[in-house]
């Protein structure tokens, strides 16, 4: 489905204070953070490398997303093979815990039917998930930069990993290994990547880390760090394209897409991608 990289990146706590300090420097007109060292932003390159999402393909859009609870239950039967009770369906959302419970009670084995209950699972890999995710992130940053706005949602883990990677004065110290996907029994940490495809760059941060030398959870301090940032504290060329976890999720066509000027689409969200502001 093209979402393996997201799974391997896993979930990490979001530093709300870091996000707040970044939002303060976001400019809706340019879709960039205005920093002392210049303009910078999360790009299609970042989304693809950090979480391995495809940036080439069909736009993430469609029609007929407004359904009643009963219609969504029928859609679950069509796509997942079971109908959750109406109380478990909130709008068009279904809790992961509901899927967990269903999968535990209905184990998949060699006698299970072939993918007949997973409609268009191969088609999903042909969507440009990366551009949809970036469109959503841009829209949330624009909405949250309005005076009086107090909440933000969206792919904030990508934004946090981007900030940690680019801004050395905010980057935590990474230690040890942290499982994101359950490994086979009796597999050591050193063997973990031999039983699964390689993880994307963002999985580097799916480890135990500490802020021994950097600040966290303080808007005032992070705001000051951004204000005083010097050229040597922002890494404009953070990715090593010879690294396996970078090479695994890019191919020859990406360079042109990374530098394009085009609208990013996620259903009813359309945000401009202006690479001509930051690329050569």
């Amino acid at each position: 489905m093209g979402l393996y990289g997201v799974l391997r990146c896993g979930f990490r706590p979001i530093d709300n204070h870091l996000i707040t300090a970044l939002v303060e420097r976001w400019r809706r007109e340019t879709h960039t953070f205005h920093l002392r060292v210049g303009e910078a932003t999360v790009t299609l390159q970042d989304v693809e490398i950090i979480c391995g999402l495809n940036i080439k393909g069909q736009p993430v859009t469609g029609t007929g997303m407004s359904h009643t609870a009963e219609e969504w239950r029928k859609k679950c039967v069509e796509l997942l093979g079971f109908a959750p009770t109406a109380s478990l369906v909130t709008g068009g959302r279904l809790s992961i815990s509901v899927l967990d419970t269903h999968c535990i009670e209905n184990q998949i084995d060699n006698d299970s039917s072939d993918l007949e209950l997973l409609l268009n699972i191969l088609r999903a890999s042909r969507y440009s998930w990366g551009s949809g995710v970036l469109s959503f992130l841009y829209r949330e940053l624009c909405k949250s930069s309005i005076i009086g706005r107090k909440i933000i949602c969206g792919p904030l883990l990508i934004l946090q990993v981007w900030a940690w990677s680019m801004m050395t004065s905010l980057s935590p110290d990474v230690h040890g290994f942290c499982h994101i996907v359950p490994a086979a029994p009796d597999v050591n940490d050193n063997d973990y990547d031999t039983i699964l495809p390689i993880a994307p760059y963002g999985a580097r941060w799916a480890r135990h880390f500490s802020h021994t030398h950097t600040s966290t959870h303080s808007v005032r301090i992070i705001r000051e760090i951004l204000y005083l940032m010097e050229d040597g504290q922002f890494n404009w060329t953070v990715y090593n394209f010879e690294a396996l976890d970078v090479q695994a999720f890019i191919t020859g066509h990406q360079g042109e897409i990374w530098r394009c000027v085009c609208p990013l689409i996620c259903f009813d969200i359309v945000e401009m991608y202006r690479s001509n502001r930051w690329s050569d």
Side-chain angles (χ1 to χ4, degrees), residues 82-83 88 97-109:
F82 76 102
L88 298 177
S97 62
V98 177
L99 292 175
D100 276 345
T101 301
H102 174 74
C103 291
I104 290 173
E105 296 175 351
N106 301 271
Q107 294 287 333
I108 297 176
D109 54 34

Side-chain angles (χ1 to χ4, degrees), residues 265-279:
I265 300 172
C266 181
F267 288 96
D268 61 330
I269 297 174
V270 180
E271 294 289 342
M272 282 302 300
Y273 182 70
R274 300 183 177 92
S275 67
N276 55 331
R277 293 192 63 89
W278 59 81
S279 62

Side-chain angles (χ1 to χ4, degrees), residues 118-152:
L118 296 174
L119 186 64
N120 291 331
I121 190 171
L122 297 180
R123 179 183 175 186
S125 64
R126 298 199 292 267
Y127 285 103
S128 177
W129 294 113
S131 61
V133 164
L134 189 57
S135 175
F136 190 29
L137 177 60
Y138 281 0
R139 176 61 59 88
E140 283 298 310
L141 285 167
C142 289
K143 289 165 59 177
S144 299
S145 63
I146 298 174
I147 295 177
R149 176 85 175 189
K150 296 182 179 179
I151 60 173
I152 184 173

Side-chain angles (χ1 to χ4, degrees), residues 1 9 12 55 63 102 115 189 196 217 220 232 234 245 254 260:
M1 296 179 70
C9 286
R12 305 301 298 177
I55 61 171
T63 59
H102 174 74
L115 298 174
D189 288 348
L196 292 171
H217 300 301
R220 180 184 61 81
F234 194 95
D245 57 351
Q254 268 77 356
C260 71

